[in-house]
Amino acid sequence: MKTRLKTGQKVQGAEIICECLLRAGVTAIFGYPGGANIPIYDALYKYPELRHVLVRHEQGAAHAAEGYAWVTGRPGVCFATSGPGATNLVTGLADAMLDSIPIVAITGQVPSSLLGTDAFQEADMLGVTLPVTKHNYLVTKTEDIASVFSEAFFLAVSGRPGPVLIDITKDAQVNYAQFQYKENNEHLKNRLKLTATKEELAEIADLLNNAERPLIVAGHGVLLSGDGKTLLSVAEKQDIPVTLTQLGLSTIPQNHPLYMGMPGMHGNVAANRAPLETDVLLAVGMRFHDRVTSKTSLYAPQAKIIHIDIDPSEIGKNIMPALGVVGDAKLVLKQLLPFLQQKKNPLWLKKFEVWKKEEKDKVFTKELESPKLKSAQVINEIARQTDFEATIVADVGQNQMYAARYYQYRKYNSHFTSGGLGTMGFALPAGMGAKLGDPAREVWITIGDGGIQMTLQELATIVQEKTEVKIALLNNNYLGMVRQWQELFYKGNYSEVQLKNPDFQKLCEGFGIKSLKAKNLRQAREAIGIARKTRGPFLIEFVVQAEENVFPMIPAGAGIGEMVVSKEELK
């Protein structure tokens, strides 16, 4: 982008902010104006290159910034005013922090003379956001703005990505200073360890070269490193089966013969059985989340575990590895490749075929051949019609598990969801942000009737911005995941999970979004086809079986060996 300001030019702080955004490569901002950030919006008027998306709630701005960052690899940017505007970003910041999404949140603050006086719409954003950001800043002097912005954008993407917040007092926005922009962040770069040592590589290779039943568990860190091909090269060289965590889905094509599914509470049978039989487990760019391991003392106790992660604090935090290596997933795997011997593992791979058949017979066939419309059928049909290459932005709950289990991702980096925080309502604004970040993508938002009502107001933003997202609303008139647990583990006591929902077709009409309703598989197929041919946003309400359950599942507090493959096993 063409820069506007020259070094040494004296301008207002608000204009310096816009210039810094321009130099950081920002193309879209998701925000909401208010009294404490109105000078920034006044300066923004002079910068038409910076597209501003007016969300309807600041939480939507943060989630949209996440979706934008996910597709572009660059920090998503969100604006909010002081007080409630800024605090409304917190859920999105926490979500980005747990899922390692780079966003830069820029909030207005009361004038510096009023700090600490409980002024109108004053909130201590440094204190509020300290636990949910990689770093945060309070800027009270105009001359500090440019250096803070340069550092903030670097921090957001360096090492393990994450959210950074810049809180700027109103007087710093309106006062004048000379523009001095520095991109030199060498003092920060030197703190990162990105590659493995020769000794670490030799030890990893020795373990894998001598393994009889090796297993790879790869997570979001591999996607963030920007390379699934190297992971596949390692797997193919030694015939190592690969499992992908929920946030790691779409790192490698799911139709690859070495792909063995997603581990976790509602993961695939093979992916959950394998850790109990592997002798060497290579964990790359994942953090041994409780939803993956279940009871940690029962997770792969017989295996020698190698853990590669860019964040040193993750090594040994949940599972103690035999070897922990701090480094970038892509770089370490590339380093490792020449050290690995070519190997085949036909007997080990045959076990996975047995486990896959068990799941097919007990779960997949029943779900996909159900006479009543089920969520699995909807996701499977979207996958079929989009040739498995659409980007799926999944919300949280049962719909999230169906999107993870039944889409069969074949395109790199095409599955987004809220993993660590599990934020209901995430998908609607995040899907909008993803589409705006990469308009060439076909974006489908999968969301439940509970989740959509948490961020429903962003339908107005989607219409205003003419964002061509397709929304698959899986409506069972329940908070489905909670209801499933109540049915299976709380004697069927359905406490506060049944929803009296609005008429979603009338709601869509009010917002100006075209919509259809599907009650069976034939109608679902037709509706998906129509939605794909229709320009602009489109919502399909799929009326799915009210009391459908996601299987397999691992009960809370159990080990992965106690996985329940079908409901019949609970009787």
Side-chain angles (χ1 to χ4, degrees):
M1 285 186 179
K2 187 178 180 181
T3 57
R4 300 286 191 85
L5 301 181
K6 295 179 181 179
T7 299
Q9 189 174 345
K10 198 168 185 178
V11 292
Q12 278 189 314
E15 195 165 346
I16 293 174
I17 290 168
C18 292
E19 181 70 23
C20 290
L21 293 174
L22 205 62
R23 295 190 181 214
V26 174
T27 58
I29 299 158
F30 306 91
Y32 206 95
N37 69 350
I38 199 168
I40 301 174
Y41 277 85
D42 186 56
L44 192 65
Y45 198 74
K46 304 173 188 175
Y47 283 79
E49 307 97 322
L50 297 172
R51 179 180 183 179
H52 183 275
V53 176
L54 179 62
V55 296
R56 298 306 189 263
H57 190 283
E58 292 87 355
Q59 182 182 343
H63 292 322
E66 287 185 273
Y68 176 93
W70 213 313
V71 300
T72 64
R74 303 191 304 272
V77 176
C78 53
F79 283 177
T81 190
S82 63
T87 58
N88 280 343
L89 294 175
V90 170
T91 297
L93 293 172
D95 194 272
M97 186 69 175
L98 283 173
D99 288 351
S100 305
I101 308 299
I103 65 174
V104 176
I106 299 159
T107 53
Q109 183 55 276
V110 300
S112 54
S113 61
L114 294 179
L115 288 173
T117 68
D118 292 333
F120 177 68
Q121 291 194 334
E122 180 190 2
D124 176 11
M125 288 312 295
L126 261 64
V128 169
T129 64
L130 182 64
V132 294
T133 54
K134 274 187 78 174
H135 196 60
N136 58 17
Y137 301 86
L138 173 61
V139 181
T140 60
K141 296 179 180 178
T142 307
E143 56 265 31
D144 293 338
I145 291 173
S147 60
V148 165
F149 268 69
S150 173
E151 189 170 281
F153 275 87
F154 176 83
L155 284 174
V157 295
S158 66
R160 180 178 181 173
V164 178
L165 178 128
I166 308 173
D167 197 34
I168 310 173
T169 59
K170 193 169 183 179
D171 52 317
Q173 298 170 41
V174 298
N175 289 340
Y176 285 77
Q178 288 187 340
F179 177 70
Q180 301 285 344
Y181 188 80
K182 295 179 181 179
E183 294 185 8
N184 187 350
N185 288 296
E186 291 299 324
H187 64 294
L188 296 171
K189 291 180 183 178
N190 295 334
R191 298 182 185 184
L192 298 174
K193 180 179 181 289
L194 298 176
T195 57
T197 65
K198 289 182 180 179
E199 292 76 17
E200 288 170 336
L201 292 169
E203 196 170 345
I204 298 171
D206 182 62
L207 287 168
L208 289 174
N209 288 338
N210 290 293
E212 294 181 2
R213 298 178 306 282
L215 176 69
I216 292 173
V217 184
H220 193 200
V222 183
L223 270 177
L224 290 170
S225 74
D227 186 20
K229 292 180 181 178
T230 306
L231 178 74
L232 259 187
S233 297
V234 170
E236 289 171 344
K237 194 164 186 180
Q238 296 201 332
D239 247 7
I240 306 176
V242 179
T243 65
L244 299 174
T245 68
Q246 185 181 30
L247 289 182
L249 292 175
S250 74
T251 299
I252 67 171
Q254 289 189 205
N255 60 341
H256 192 281
L258 289 176
Y259 177 70
M260 301 301 174
M262 176 185 75
M265 180 171 283
H266 291 285
N268 296 106
V269 170
N272 281 332
R273 293 261 168 85
L276 297 174
E277 297 204 21
T278 182
D279 55 353
V280 176
L281 189 153
L282 176 61
V284 191
M286 55 88 73
R287 58 192 179 93
F288 291 107
H289 189 266
D290 65 285
R291 283 298 190 264
V292 170
T293 65
S294 291
K295 193 172 183 178
T296 54
S297 61
L298 300 177
Y299 183 80
Q302 77 297 331
K304 291 180 180 177
I305 296 175
I306 306 160
H307 189 185
I308 301 169
D309 200 281
I310 201 165
D311 185 351
S313 70
E314 292 296 346
I315 307 293
K317 185 173 84 175
N318 296 323
I319 295 284
M320 186 58 66
L323 174 63
V325 178
V326 176
D328 176 81
K330 176 181 178 179
L331 296 179
V332 175
L333 292 176
K334 279 193 170 182
Q335 285 180 287
L336 178 63
L337 260 174
F339 292 85
L340 296 178
Q341 299 168 3
Q342 198 87 33
K343 288 187 351 181
K344 295 290 182 184
N345 279 302
L347 294 178
W348 176 225
L349 293 179
K350 277 184 180 178
K351 284 203 168 191
F352 287 86
E353 296 311 309
V354 174
W355 292 328
K356 283 183 174 183
K357 187 177 184 306
E358 178 187 357
E359 186 168 8
K360 181 181 178 182
D361 293 344
K362 292 183 177 180
V363 183
F364 288 125
T365 301
K366 289 181 180 178
E367 290 288 300
L368 296 177
E369 295 181 2
S370 168
K372 293 183 179 179
L373 185 62
K374 304 199 80 171
S375 296
Q377 294 172 324
V378 172
I379 301 299
N380 184 68
E381 186 60 26
I382 294 172
R384 190 187 67 79
Q385 291 198 34
T386 58
D387 295 323
F388 311 96
E389 292 199 341
T391 292
I392 304 298
V393 183
D395 208 64
V396 172
Q398 285 184 325
N399 68 88
Q400 180 183 37
M401 295 300 109
Y402 286 117
R405 290 176 50 79
Y406 289 92
Y407 189 81
Q408 305 168 56
Y409 300 89
R410 296 181 188 174
K411 187 175 181 179
Y412 183 75
N413 194 33
S414 60
H415 168 265
F416 312 156
T417 192
S418 170
L421 198 63
T423 306
M424 288 178 67
F426 163 88
L428 203 62
M432 173 182 68
K435 183 66 176 179
L436 290 171
D438 185 0
R441 289 180 184 239
E442 179 176 355
V443 175
W444 279 82
I445 294 166
T446 65
I447 195 164
D449 47 315
I452 198 170
Q453 292 181 77
M454 291 197 168
T455 53
L456 191 65
Q457 66 276 359
E458 299 311 331
L459 287 174
T461 314
I462 287 169
V463 170
Q464 183 167 329
E465 295 296 323
K466 300 180 177 65
T467 313
E468 197 165 324
V469 291
K470 311 305 176 185
I471 303 163
L473 170 58
L474 303 174
N475 184 7
N476 56 14
N477 290 103
Y478 277 109
L479 298 176
M481 188 61 83
V482 182
R483 185 214 55 76
Q484 176 171 337
W485 279 64
Q486 288 176 341
E487 176 192 342
L488 300 178
F489 304 113
Y490 290 86
K491 301 177 182 178
N493 295 328
Y494 289 174
S495 178
E496 301 302 325
V497 289
Q498 194 159 12
L499 297 171
K500 172 62 177 172
N501 286 322
D503 184 324
F504 287 108
Q505 270 61 60
K506 288 184 178 178
L507 208 55
C508 285
E509 184 182 352
F511 278 110
I513 289 182
K514 293 178 181 177
S515 69
L516 285 171
K517 190 172 189 174
K519 295 182 178 181
N520 56 51
L521 186 55
R522 179 186 59 79
Q523 292 175 351
R525 285 176 178 146
E526 291 174 358
I528 293 166
I530 293 169
R532 296 189 72 226
K533 292 174 184 175
T534 303
R535 296 197 66 178
F538 202 105
L539 183 145
I540 309 171
E541 178 188 358
F542 298 97
V543 182
V544 295
Q545 191 173 331
E547 296 178 81
E548 62 180 358
N549 292 322
V550 186
F551 282 99
M553 72 176 297
I554 301 170
I560 56 174
E562 298 169 85
M563 173 179 58
V564 179
V565 179
S566 64
K567 187 176 178 180
E568 289 72 26
E569 294 180 14
L570 286 170
K571 295 177 180 177

